[in-house]
Amino acid sequence: MTAAADLTPEAVRALLADTEPYLSCDECFARIDEYVERRVSDRDFRDDRLETHLAGCGVCAEEAAALEELLRG
C-alpha cells in the first residue's frame, strides 16, 4: 500500500488549506486557551488567524477540541 492510499479526505483538505495569514504552532498554543474560552461563551467570536491555523494543523485542532470539551463538561 502506498502512503497516498493512507491519506483521508480530511488530511488532504488540511494539506491543501490556505494557511495565510500564517500563525505558528507556538503562537497558536499561546492564544488557544483564550480563544476556546471566548468561543464557548460567544459562538460568534472569531479569530481568523487562529482558525486558519486550526484548519491546517491537526495537532492544534485536537488541542482546541479537547479544551472546548473540557470547558463544556
Side-chain angles (χ1 to χ4, degrees), residues 53-73:
H53 181 86
L54 294 178
C57 180
V59 173
C60 290
E62 285 179 25
E63 179 70 14
L67 286 170
E68 184 170 344
E69 184 178 327
L70 180 67
L71 287 176
R72 291 190 186 278

Side-chain angles (χ1 to χ4, degrees), residues 12-68:
V12 170
R13 277 192 301 280
L15 289 169
L16 296 175
D18 181 5
T19 58
E20 291 298 326
Y22 180 76
L23 183 72
S24 72
C25 289
D26 287 339
E27 292 170 309
C28 180
F29 275 115
R31 296 165 59 166
I32 201 164
D33 291 341
E34 179 183 351
Y35 170 77
V36 172
E37 288 173 3
R38 291 187 69 184
R39 287 286 294 167
V40 166
S41 65
D42 176 7
R43 288 307 245 172
D44 293 328
F45 174 75
R46 306 293 301 183
D47 182 331
D48 292 336
R49 289 183 71 205
L50 198 125
E51 290 170 13
T52 298
H53 181 86
L54 294 178
C57 180
V59 173
C60 290
E62 285 179 25
E63 179 70 14
L67 286 170
E68 184 170 344

